[in-house]
Amino acid sequence: MKKLLLMSVFFGLFVFSCSKDDPEIENDILVNISATIGFASEPSSNGEFTFTLTNTVSTVTLINYTISGTATNGTDYQTIANSISIPANTLSKSIAIIVLDDTTTEGDETVTMTLNATNNNVIIGNSDVATVTISELPEEFILSPDETYLYMVNPNATPQTIALFYNLKLLSKTKFVVGQQDAFSSFYNDNIGESDIMKTTGSDPGLLGLDFMFITDDNNNGATSNWYYQQEQNIKSDAIEAYNKGMINSFSWHMREPYNGEHFYTSEMTQFQKDNALVSILPDGANHDYYKQKLQKIADVANSMVGSDGNLVPFIFRPFHEFDGDWFWWGKDYCTPQEFKALWQFTVTYLRDTLHVNNILFAFSPDNNFFSAAEYLSRYPGDAYVDILGMDNYSDFNNQGQMALESANEKLQILTGLAKDRVKIAALTESAYIVTPGVNNPISGFYSNHMYNALSDNNVEIGYMMFWTNTSNTYCTPPPGQPSTSDFLEFVNKPRSVLQNELPNIYELPQ
């Protein structure tokens, strides 16, 4: 994540200044409708409409709507009523369009909902119509379990790693796994024990974020009394625990620069270090052997993490993240696109072909500094070296208004399209709005409205998203008793969100 993420102190309220006849009136509450799953197909892929208020109401809000379109209510999809109630103190509610399979060839059909009446003086907003399309044909190539290995970076991956790829790809069509960095080891107010998400929801996150930083530190000498070695053992233990619970593990790598082994932020490095760190670890570079030693350490850890079932623990490896920024020494200001690609390709091939690590999925994750597929792919090393197309994104969620949220969704649409075309998995690999009580306030509806809609609208398909870590004085996922706790609970209870207690057996291929 960026070194500094200073949040503004404003609540995320929608403020309007229009005439009394305009529906967007200051302090009025509006309701809007969106197709949060806009594409459905026979026989088993369902659609979804979501009704969202711009602020909560203390009593039940009844919303009436008309249903139209070429699909027939009760024949092409399970019967739905012409109204919905949003419970008191709740921002949104969804209706699933559950497709009914039939033997008649009808082509694409549509389900359209149009808002027409409300109570509680709630006003219908500008987004008053939404449509779900039902198709009889698959929208895209369907990945076969038996052929999954052919589309992976490592076709010799362990069966559990192949299953992880397949199941994440399949899950992304209708769901996304909710994860958090350091969920087992870092807690708000240092309230150790269960993860903060478990304290709030009754379930652990579906994905655990970890880091190779301390494991590969120059000071890790392998002695049992060594603090860095102790961290290595703790991290491995957390990863094994997550695997045994059926969770997913994702490792980032805040690798320290190779000259003095002290820093990864460029603000703390000399100009010489910044200009030479990355090129020095390339083949024939001054620090190439040093880099191979670090990869050997990662391989040793990867091959020593064994679950209770006797199998190696698969994990997602996300090196050199946010490379389109300038805050890390592997950033765009300190290497050419070709140098970055060469480093990525060497990293993958050395781990896979020389060190024979077979339990890794490789995740490519710039920050959010792109607005087209071409920009996203400007430093892409190639399909043979990437399993997961990710994006880190804090700034679009940093209380910047509706346009920024729409921008986040548009970028995830780009990832979705690329992942479909290339048979990869799309993901929001790191994100959050970091709250420091007493310094900045939670954003009203941040989780259940802002975040969820960005991850769901316009047919976005991501396998997972990961919140950043909670610390002693900040949180990215609210523990019990915080102003945004109920908002987070609504987020994780929405149809697409998946925590550990709802994960399928993600390490086993269907028979």
Side-chain angles (χ1 to χ4, degrees):
M1 62 177 291
K2 298 183 180 72
K3 186 176 182 184
L4 292 177
L5 287 168
L6 298 178
M7 274 61 67
S8 63
V9 297
F10 301 109
F11 288 94
L13 298 176
F14 292 87
V15 178
F16 304 93
S17 55
C18 304
S19 69
K20 191 64 180 175
D21 293 329
D22 193 300
E24 297 184 351
I25 303 171
E26 184 175 356
N27 299 324
D28 277 336
I29 298 174
L30 283 70
V31 61
N32 294 289
I33 185 172
S34 62
T36 41
I37 304 178
F39 180 87
S41 62
E42 294 180 15
S44 59
S45 177
N46 300 320
E48 179 189 86
F49 292 100
T50 298
F51 303 79
T52 304
L53 300 172
T54 55
N55 210 337
T56 57
V57 181
S58 60
T59 56
V60 173
T61 301
L62 178 66
I63 302 165
N64 294 323
Y65 48 84
T66 56
I67 303 170
S68 59
T70 57
T72 303
N73 192 0
T75 300
D76 295 308
Y77 54 95
Q78 286 187 8
T79 303
I80 54 176
N82 289 84
S83 65
I84 188 173
S85 296
I86 298 181
N89 303 311
T90 303
L91 278 172
S92 64
K93 190 171 181 180
S94 300
I95 291 179
I97 302 301
I98 300 174
V99 178
L100 300 176
D101 195 14
D102 58 40
T103 59
T104 305
T105 301
E106 300 166 302
D108 288 356
E109 297 177 284
T110 57
V111 185
T112 299
M113 288 189 175
T114 304
L115 305 182
N116 55 32
T118 66
N119 68 338
N120 285 342
N121 294 318
V122 171
I123 297 171
I124 295 173
N126 290 330
S127 299
D128 60 343
V129 180
T131 298
V132 167
T133 300
I134 302 173
S135 174
E136 294 174 307
L137 299 175
E139 186 188 25
E140 66 196 82
F141 164 79
I142 303 299
L143 182 63
S144 163
D146 293 339
E147 296 180 347
T148 297
Y149 72 97
L150 297 173
Y151 299 93
M152 296 173 59
V153 169
N154 187 352
N156 297 311
T158 66
Q160 293 72 33
T161 309
I162 294 172
L164 175 60
F165 182 98
Y166 173 82
N167 286 310
L168 263 181
K169 180 67 174 172
L170 181 65
L171 188 74
S172 69
K173 289 180 170 296
T174 56
K175 308 281 186 181
F176 58 81
V177 179
V178 177
Q180 182 160 29
Q181 182 75 19
D182 298 325
F184 289 175
S185 59
S186 190
F187 314 92
Y188 180 62
N189 276 343
D190 295 325
N191 184 14
I192 63 173
E194 297 175 330
S195 67
D196 282 350
I197 288 182
M198 169 70 85
K199 296 184 186 93
T200 299
T201 69
S203 171
D204 278 316
L207 177 143
L208 176 65
L210 301 159
D211 201 312
F212 280 116
M213 176 174 60
F214 295 143
I215 292 173
T216 60
D217 194 283
D218 289 351
N219 293 307
N220 184 356
N221 62 15
T224 55
S225 60
N226 179 269
W227 183 88
Y228 292 91
Y229 180 74
Q230 292 169 4
Q231 300 314 301
E232 175 186 333
Q233 299 308 303
N234 291 338
I235 291 166
K236 287 169 55 178
S237 177
D238 286 347
I240 293 168
E241 178 185 351
Y243 173 75
N244 290 340
K245 289 181 174 181
M247 297 166 58
I248 302 164
N249 285 293
S250 178
F251 278 80
S252 56
W253 191 15
H254 289 83
M255 182 186 174
R256 303 186 194 278
E257 55 80 22
Y259 285 99
N260 294 333
E262 294 179 350
H263 306 295
F264 46 83
Y265 285 126
T266 53
S267 61
E268 300 169 320
M269 294 166 57
T270 67
Q271 192 62 47
F272 174 84
Q273 290 171 333
K274 288 186 283 189
D275 292 341
N276 292 278
L278 188 139
V279 295
S280 79
I281 63 175
L282 289 171
D284 299 327
N287 294 311
H288 184 60
D289 287 341
Y290 171 90
Y291 184 59
K292 290 196 292 186
Q293 292 172 8
K294 299 305 180 186
L295 293 180
Q296 180 67 63
K297 183 63 178 178
I298 289 174
D300 292 343
V301 169
N303 288 321
S304 66
M305 294 192 300
V306 179
S308 59
D309 59 3
N311 295 313
L312 288 174
V313 174
F315 63 92
I316 296 164
F317 183 33
R318 186 170 63 100
F320 309 118
H321 65 297
E322 299 175 10
F323 54 81
D324 51 340
D326 61 0
W327 46 92
F328 293 134
W329 57 263
W330 53 84
K332 63 179 177 60
D333 288 358
Y334 312 110
C335 63
T336 67
Q338 193 53 48
E339 287 167 342
F340 182 84
K341 293 175 186 179
L343 175 60
W344 186 284
Q345 292 166 356
F346 173 80
T347 301
V348 169
T349 54
Y350 194 72
L351 285 169
R352 181 191 62 196
D353 302 336
T354 302
L355 301 180
H356 305 294
V357 182
N358 295 322
N359 52 332
I360 294 179
L361 298 181
F362 292 90
F364 176 83
S365 65
D367 197 47
N368 66 334
N369 297 313
F370 64 93
F371 299 93
S372 68
E375 287 181 296
Y376 181 84
L377 296 172
S378 63
R379 293 183 176 236
Y380 185 66
D383 290 344
Y385 303 93
V386 173
D387 294 300
I388 295 169
L389 301 173
M391 168 183 70
D392 291 9
N393 193 343
Y394 290 87
S395 60
D396 285 337
F397 295 103
N398 190 22
N399 207 10
Q400 300 301 302
Q402 186 61 31
M403 288 185 64
L405 298 173
E406 291 172 359
S407 178
N409 178 258
E410 289 167 2
K411 294 164 189 174
L412 291 171
Q413 290 178 57
I414 291 171
L415 298 194
T416 297
L418 289 171
K420 288 179 178 180
D421 292 343
R422 296 162 184 265
V423 195
K424 305 297 178 184
I425 299 159
L428 179 60
T429 42
E430 188 180 315
S431 185
Y433 176 72
I434 303 176
V435 176
T436 306
V439 177
N440 66 310
N441 295 307
I443 300 170
S444 176
F446 172 78
Y447 300 101
S448 62
N449 187 353
H450 298 186
M451 177 68 76
Y452 186 82
N453 290 350
L455 302 183
S456 304
D457 283 353
N458 298 304
N459 303 314
V460 163
E461 295 180 6
I462 60 170
Y464 66 91
M465 63 82 57
M466 188 183 78
F467 290 105
W468 192 240
T469 184
N470 287 3
T471 69
S472 59
N473 63 343
T474 68
Y475 64 80
C476 300
T477 62
Q482 295 299 317
S484 54
T485 300
S486 60
D487 179 34
F488 185 73
L489 282 168
E490 186 176 347
F491 168 77
V492 299
N493 286 318
K494 280 180 170 283
R496 295 183 74 99
S497 305
V498 177
L499 295 177
Q500 176 268 333
N501 63 343
E502 295 180 321
L503 273 176
N505 187 346
I506 208 153
Y507 296 111
E508 183 174 313
L509 284 172
Q511 299 300 313

